[in-house]
Amino acid sequence: MGCDGRKLELDVLRVFCGPGGTGGNPLGVVRDGAAVPDRAARAALAAELGFSETVFLDDETRGTVDIHTPSVRLPFAGHPLVGLAWLLRSLGRPPRMLRPPAGDVPVTFDEEFTWVCGRAEWVPGRRTEQYASVAEVDALPAPPPGEGWLYAWAWQDEAAGVVRARAFPRRGDGIVEDEATGAAALLLTHELGRALDVRQGIGSQILTRPHPDGAIAVGGRVRADTP
């Protein structure tokens, strides 16, 4: 039940699935954001659900959205926006633009992939660290020692732009490792200056494409995971 008495309907998706539907980061989508109008209530719901992110759609016509992790509100995040865009398209209402607090996010669709466009300056407080091999990335404990958001990566096939990555928020909110992280993949793309094919987590895939104006597109497959 929502805060104003409406029945709360929740869609659960897996975003950035690998080929064949492997992996994917679970996402909670509240299509009727008015059912949870209070920011504190949204934070509490996101913490209760325990997904790495939960997204609230506040105005479908304008594309206004609000994104929460179990402990913080985010100005931008890739996997909630890709997931929401895919969901709206599956309902026959494909959006052209979504508007999280960071700014306007163009949306496009390309066969099985859903794409959103963001900017590196929208991804503060995250650090990328390159390792010498995929084996070193795979051997990291979850989480590694230290503090702060860490995106650990290594080249799996540098010539082809294929990266192996793992993501560790290290916020103390129960998300020990993030299965697939669009914003971090966007940041890494900005740092490397090239399109990437990121293989993250246990079986997820994130594609990125830098644009001439400095924006970076992030794309992936989405699957419904609602019982």
Side-chain angles (χ1 to χ4, degrees), residues 31-118:
R31 278 186 271 158
D32 182 9
V36 191
D38 180 74
R39 187 175 296 179
R42 293 183 176 190
L45 177 61
E48 178 185 349
L49 292 173
F51 301 129
S52 60
E53 278 120 18
T54 298
V55 60
F56 300 83
L57 178 59
D58 288 324
D59 187 330
E60 184 174 335
T61 301
R62 296 196 68 253
T64 308
V65 301
D66 190 26
I67 303 167
H68 288 257
T69 77
S71 60
V72 297
R73 182 174 183 252
L74 298 178
F76 171 83
H79 116 270
L81 298 175
V82 167
L84 175 60
W86 177 91
L87 177 62
L88 292 175
R89 186 193 193 196
S90 75
L91 297 170
R93 306 191 297 271
R96 298 179 62 185
M97 189 78 68
L98 293 174
R99 292 182 169 89
D104 291 354
V105 174
V107 178
T108 57
F109 302 94
D110 177 9
E111 297 179 353
E112 61 181 328
F113 289 90
T114 299
W115 296 85
V116 300
C117 231

Side-chain angles (χ1 to χ4, degrees), residues 5-219:
R6 305 186 194 193
K7 181 181 179 182
L8 179 64
E9 294 185 2
L10 179 73
D11 293 280
V12 181
L13 312 175
R14 288 187 296 118
V15 183
F16 297 129
C17 295
T22 61
N25 198 2
L27 170 70
V29 180
V30 179
R31 278 186 271 158
D32 182 9
V36 191
D38 180 74
R39 187 175 296 179
R42 293 183 176 190
L45 177 61
E48 178 185 349
L49 292 173
F51 301 129
S52 60
E53 278 120 18
T54 298
V55 60
F56 300 83
L57 178 59
D58 288 324
D59 187 330
E60 184 174 335
T61 301
R62 296 196 68 253
T64 308
V65 301
D66 190 26
I67 303 167
H68 288 257
T69 77
S71 60
V72 297
R73 182 174 183 252
L74 298 178
F76 171 83
H79 116 270
L81 298 175
V82 167
L84 175 60
W86 177 91
L87 177 62
L88 292 175
R89 186 193 193 196
S90 75
L91 297 170
R93 306 191 297 271
R96 298 179 62 185
M97 189 78 68
L98 293 174
R99 292 182 169 89
D104 291 354
V105 174
V107 178
T108 57
F109 302 94
D110 177 9
E111 297 179 353
E112 61 181 328
F113 289 90
T114 299
W115 296 85
V116 300
C117 231
R119 311 191 73 86
E121 56 265 32
W122 295 351
V123 190
R126 301 192 182 193
R127 180 173 65 86
T128 67
E129 182 174 342
Q130 182 178 6
Y131 287 75
S133 69
V134 169
E136 287 188 19
V137 173
D138 288 342
L140 290 171
E147 298 180 356
W149 228 107
L150 174 65
Y151 201 54
W153 71 278
W155 287 114
Q156 183 169 312
D157 183 340
E158 185 172 0
V162 181
V163 165
R164 168 64 176 148
R166 294 174 66 193
F168 306 101
R170 297 193 294 196
R171 291 184 300 248
D173 62 6
I175 305 299
V176 175
E177 181 170 352
D178 207 2
E179 171 61 27
T181 318
L186 183 157
L187 180 62
L188 183 62
T189 301
H190 171 75
E191 292 173 352
L192 297 176
R194 60 180 293 186
L196 298 176
D197 178 348
V198 180
R199 309 302 175 93
Q200 188 176 324
I202 63 171
S204 300
Q205 182 180 27
I206 307 165
L207 301 184
T208 67
R209 297 172 180 167
H211 289 187
D213 66 355
I216 295 171
V218 177

